[in-house]
Amino acid sequence: MSQDELILRRFESGDSDGVWHLHRTASQDVGVCGPEGAWEDDLRHIEEVYVGSGGDFVVAHIGARLGAMGGLKPVDDDVAELKRMRVDPVFQRRGLGRRVLRELESRAVALGFKWIVLDTTTIQVGAQRLYETAGYVRCREGMLHGYAVIFYEKRLTGQDDPT
């Protein structure tokens, strides 16, 4: 994948079907895709849940194909939650997830967040590796929607430290 093929930008309404398809495809590929449910409602309302709430949502297109995505959902004034990081299985292990993650971190700093928190399932070893090599620290483990998950956090650089 050459860099000139990649277009990384904010979600637009025309991306809705592609985002839903990528979410389901990538989730099935890693074995964390159950029946559709209310826990996925945020993906039906991206403008409101992510962008309109003071966060952001980015998509990465390779040619006409949606290759990756991810969102920032505000928790409070200082903390954003990284959500819905997905990479099309066809494009995995090519640095696309890392590019989306860096873009979201940059946007989080620009939006004034000081921390990013996230969770990923214990079976998503690739995601764990991505987050840990990007400086995320494991905080605890727990259960969400019937899956064993690991909770991570990262202090963002470029922010004034009040202490």
Side-chain angles (χ1 to χ4, degrees):
M1 173 178 64
S2 67
Q3 297 302 329
D4 58 350
E5 293 178 305
L6 177 66
I7 298 171
L8 194 57
R9 61 167 172 76
R10 175 177 278 160
F11 170 87
E12 297 170 358
S13 59
D15 296 321
S16 295
D17 289 343
V19 160
W20 181 256
H21 178 74
L22 176 56
H23 163 66
R24 297 299 288 183
T25 301
S27 298
Q28 287 168 352
D29 187 65
V30 295
V32 295
C33 192
E36 292 183 25
W39 67 279
E40 297 168 308
D41 284 352
D42 61 309
L43 290 172
R44 303 284 190 199
H45 307 281
I46 290 172
E47 291 278 358
E48 176 185 331
V49 171
Y50 293 95
V51 181
S53 68
D56 213 335
F57 198 97
V58 299
V59 294
H61 285 270
I62 296 145
R65 187 167 180 163
L66 179 59
M69 66 185 196
L72 290 172
K73 186 176 174 185
V75 174
D76 61 33
D77 288 345
D78 292 333
V79 180
E81 184 178 12
L82 185 75
K83 303 283 290 176
R84 305 303 186 189
M85 280 285 292
R86 304 285 187 267
V87 177
D88 186 317
V90 169
F91 296 117
Q92 287 179 355
R93 304 198 56 79
R94 298 185 193 183
L96 195 51
R98 190 164 307 281
R99 289 283 307 275
V100 170
L101 181 59
R102 277 199 307 260
E103 179 68 20
L104 287 168
E105 288 176 346
S106 174
R107 290 174 183 232
V109 168
L111 289 166
F113 294 108
K114 294 174 176 58
W115 292 88
I116 292 180
V117 297
L118 65 93
D119 61 78
T120 191
T121 65
T122 56
I123 62 174
Q124 290 176 272
V125 177
Q128 294 167 40
R129 192 174 312 116
L130 169 66
Y131 299 132
E132 290 170 12
T133 59
Y136 288 80
V137 177
R138 288 178 182 230
C139 302
R140 62 186 174 89
E141 295 189 16
M143 296 292 291
L144 279 179
H145 308 292
Y147 293 101
V149 296
I150 303 166
F151 295 89
Y152 288 91
E153 67 181 23
K154 180 179 180 178
R155 176 111 166 91
L156 297 169
T157 57
Q159 294 294 320
D160 294 331
D161 193 340
T163 57

